[in-house]
Amino acid sequence: MARYIPPEQSKAGQVLDIAVVVVAIFVALWLPLELGFAGAAKAIDPLDTKTWDALGQNATMASIWEKLGYTPETAHDVIQNHFHYIIDWPTLIIMAIVLIAYFVFLFRASDKEYREVINEKFDDK
């Protein structure tokens, strides 16, 4: 029986694969920001009185803010900028179904290819 020798990929193919992966990662990280999906639940909780006490800052914290050049008015938007975690259940369920379906497909396709390789190599035994 001949020993299995996997096909070799050329250097150009390897560089192309790396470039595709880098572009895919960049797009996956940049696209949600560009479309406004990232930080969608982020909002500034306004306060009527903009003092260090109203912002929940003690004297030490206030002194650090002031060293950084902030006043209670300018630090208000930074301190009060909060994420509001709200779960969108239909979207979460759809995402879970898509991920589960992907992994089922992945395992079935891998199993099929694995069996083909085994049959190719050990069919005569």
Side-chain angles (χ1 to χ4, degrees), residues 3 51 56 58 73-74 79 88 112 123 125:
R3 182 183 162 150
T51 64
N58 61 31
E73 292 78 23
T74 57
I79 296 170
D88 182 14
K112 179 183 174 189
D123 196 29
K125 289 188 176 181

Side-chain angles (χ1 to χ4, degrees), residues 21-34:
V21 169
V22 168
V23 168
I25 291 171
F26 175 77
V27 170
L29 294 173
W30 171 76
L31 194 60
L33 291 173
E34 189 65 26

Side-chain angles (χ1 to χ4, degrees), residues 52-53 56-67:
W52 291 122
D53 289 333
Q57 306 297 302
N58 61 31
T60 305
M61 295 166 138
S63 68
I64 299 299
W65 279 106
E66 289 168 356
K67 285 180 184 176

Side-chain angles (χ1 to χ4, degrees), residues 38-117:
K42 197 173 185 184
I44 296 175
D45 298 332
L47 292 175
D48 293 333
T49 58
K50 296 177 181 173
T51 64
W52 291 122
D53 289 333
L55 292 170
Q57 306 297 302
N58 61 31
T60 305
M61 295 166 138
S63 68
I64 299 299
W65 279 106
E66 289 168 356
K67 285 180 184 176
L68 292 171
Y70 285 94
T71 65
E73 292 78 23
T74 57
H76 172 268
D77 289 350
V78 176
I79 296 170
Q80 292 301 106
N81 198 358
H82 297 135
F83 278 99
H84 298 285
Y85 297 99
I86 300 170
I87 296 174
D88 182 14
W89 288 104
T91 305
L92 180 65
I93 291 168
I94 291 169
M95 182 182 67
I97 290 169
V98 167
L99 285 173
I100 290 168
Y102 169 72
F103 280 111
V104 167
F105 165 76
L106 182 70
F107 287 127
R108 286 192 178 182
S110 296
D111 182 60
K112 179 183 174 189
E113 289 182 21
Y114 175 75
R115 290 183 188 281
E116 287 175 3
V117 169

